[in-house]
Amino acid sequence: MLIAADRSVVLRDLTASGLFTRTETQIVDLNIEDLQLQMTVPSAPVTSSAIIAALSPFLMWFLAATIAWFVVDRLLIRPLRQLRTTVGAYQPGELIDPVAGSDIPAQEIRALGDTFRELSQTVQLHERDLAEGLSRQTKLTREVHHRVKNNLQVIASLINFHARVAVAPGALDAYASIQRRVDALAVVHRHHYAGFEDTRGIEIRSVIGELASNIRATAPDGNAVGIMLNIEPLLVSQDAAVAVSFLITEIVELAMLASPGAQINISTQTDAAKPDSATLRISSPALGDSPEFASLYEHRYGRVIGGLVRQLRSQLHHDPLIGAFELTIAITGRT
């Protein structure tokens, strides 16, 4: 096409055809009467090879990302997920095998799995040692309990032997008083030994029941004490059981000496609002306000009873009108 000012002459008309047909145009000055030559020529066609060549970088990037994801998932993410699942399900005493089922885990993850396996083996050995040590300790403790029980039986036998040959006035009553206290300790120890492997506590109802039987058996001639029990099935610690047993022994003996043939009621009562405590009540007409009771309590039994109440970390309430002692004891549960 020749172009001069506002006129032009088309030498040849180039018509575009096809979707991907492109043309290139170039204008050249001829330096003749301000003539210009405009040339339009078709460019190279867009072929499939050109399209593939243009898309190849994107395809290579996608392929590289896919391979990288597969390699990372296969060598890193999947072994780490298996390791986390295995360690999360670990229980003390088991052996961790974190690379089980993994074909080609990374060397670092394999080393980490070996470390967890060694730790689990160490814990397994320690668990075994602890179990053996606990077994030995249980046997030793059981042996100690057995020896203490035998010693208490020897002491009780010696007291009975000396009581039979005692001729001094009041000696028999003194031996019986000592015997009741030894029995109180032996009863608690026997029940503690029976439930040695059960750490919930000592059942106070059976302890007080056996203690009442021993007190009746050691009561002086002509002083047939009657003991009525209304004890709930409660559990207490060994320290509380010992103190309660001695406290009941002291108060019952006080009632026996204050009024021979006294009837004594021993009961416990719980409150739903205070599930960790119970009220122990010991009542008898012999525990009422009388000269005999006041003299015995002041000169012989009061200090001992007060010490036992302090050991129980409680307060003792005495009602002299009806003859009753009440205090709160700590419990560990119910049977």
Side-chain angles (χ1 to χ4, degrees):
M1 178 185 295
L2 294 175
I3 302 174
D6 57 350
R7 294 175 297 171
S8 64
V9 177
V10 178
L11 301 179
R12 182 182 176 184
D13 186 10
L14 182 62
T15 303
S17 62
L19 179 62
F20 297 103
T21 302
R22 300 182 302 162
T23 59
E24 295 181 359
T25 302
Q26 186 174 7
I27 299 176
V28 180
D29 292 331
L30 298 179
N31 296 324
I32 302 174
E33 296 295 334
D34 295 330
L35 291 177
Q36 291 180 335
L37 178 63
Q38 178 179 334
M39 296 181 295
T40 302
V41 296
S43 63
V46 180
T47 62
S48 59
S49 299
I51 295 174
I52 293 175
L55 294 179
S56 293
F58 299 98
L59 293 176
M60 294 177 63
W61 177 85
F62 177 76
L63 183 61
T66 302
I67 294 175
W69 174 85
F70 175 79
V71 172
V72 171
D73 178 73
R74 189 71 176 177
L75 298 181
L76 182 62
I77 298 178
R78 186 177 299 179
L80 282 177
R81 189 182 298 114
Q82 293 177 353
L83 180 61
R84 183 188 64 181
T85 303
T86 303
V87 175
Y90 169 74
Q91 296 293 332
E94 298 179 353
L95 185 63
I96 296 179
D97 190 10
V99 295
S102 180
D103 298 331
I104 48 174
Q107 184 64 29
E108 292 78 6
I109 299 180
R110 183 181 293 275
L112 181 61
D114 293 339
T115 302
F116 277 114
R117 183 187 296 108
E118 293 175 0
L119 288 175
S120 64
Q121 289 176 347
T122 303
V123 172
Q124 192 177 50
L125 292 176
H126 288 175
E127 289 283 337
R128 188 178 306 162
D129 293 340
L130 287 175
E132 294 177 357
L134 180 61
S135 178
R136 290 193 299 268
Q137 186 66 31
T138 302
K139 292 179 181 178
L140 290 175
T141 307
R142 187 178 292 112
E143 180 65 21
V144 169
H145 278 291
H146 182 69
R147 291 180 181 274
V148 171
K149 184 179 67 174
N150 291 340
N151 291 337
L152 290 174
Q153 290 177 350
V154 170
I155 294 173
S157 299
L158 290 174
I159 293 174
N160 289 330
F161 175 77
H162 286 284
R164 293 192 191 99
V165 299
V167 295
L172 186 60
D173 293 339
Y175 280 122
S177 179
I178 298 173
Q179 180 68 54
R180 282 189 285 271
R181 285 151 182 81
V182 174
D183 288 342
L185 182 60
V187 167
V188 175
H189 183 78
R190 183 162 52 252
H191 283 272
H192 178 66
Y193 175 74
F196 169 69
E197 297 181 357
D198 188 2
T199 58
R200 293 188 306 162
I202 299 177
E203 186 180 359
I204 196 65
R205 180 167 61 180
S206 57
V207 170
I208 295 178
E210 189 172 348
L211 183 63
S213 299
N214 292 338
I215 292 176
R216 294 190 192 98
T218 57
D221 295 336
N223 194 349
V225 62
I227 302 177
M228 300 294 294
L229 301 179
N230 184 17
I231 310 298
E232 299 183 28
L234 305 175
L235 296 174
V236 299
S237 64
Q238 183 187 13
D239 294 337
V242 172
V244 168
S245 298
F246 280 128
L247 180 65
I248 292 176
T249 301
E250 297 292 334
I251 295 178
V252 170
E253 185 175 291
L254 171 61
M256 291 167 52
L257 297 180
S259 177
Q263 298 296 315
I264 303 171
N265 296 319
I266 304 175
S267 63
T268 58
Q269 184 177 2
T270 56
D271 187 357
K274 299 178 180 179
D276 57 346
S277 63
T279 300
L280 174 64
R281 178 183 175 88
I282 307 172
S283 60
S284 172
L287 300 176
D289 192 7
S290 65
E292 294 79 4
F293 170 82
S295 176
L296 290 170
Y297 188 83
E298 180 179 359
H299 296 97
R300 181 174 177 180
Y301 294 95
R303 181 175 298 180
V304 177
I305 292 175
L308 294 172
V309 172
R310 285 193 298 271
Q311 184 177 346
L312 291 169
R313 298 180 181 179
S314 181
Q315 292 183 351
L316 185 66
H317 303 280
H318 178 224
D319 188 348
L321 296 179
I322 61 176
F325 284 99
E326 285 187 358
L327 76 158
T328 301
I329 59 174
I331 61 176
T332 60
R334 302 176 66 93
T335 58

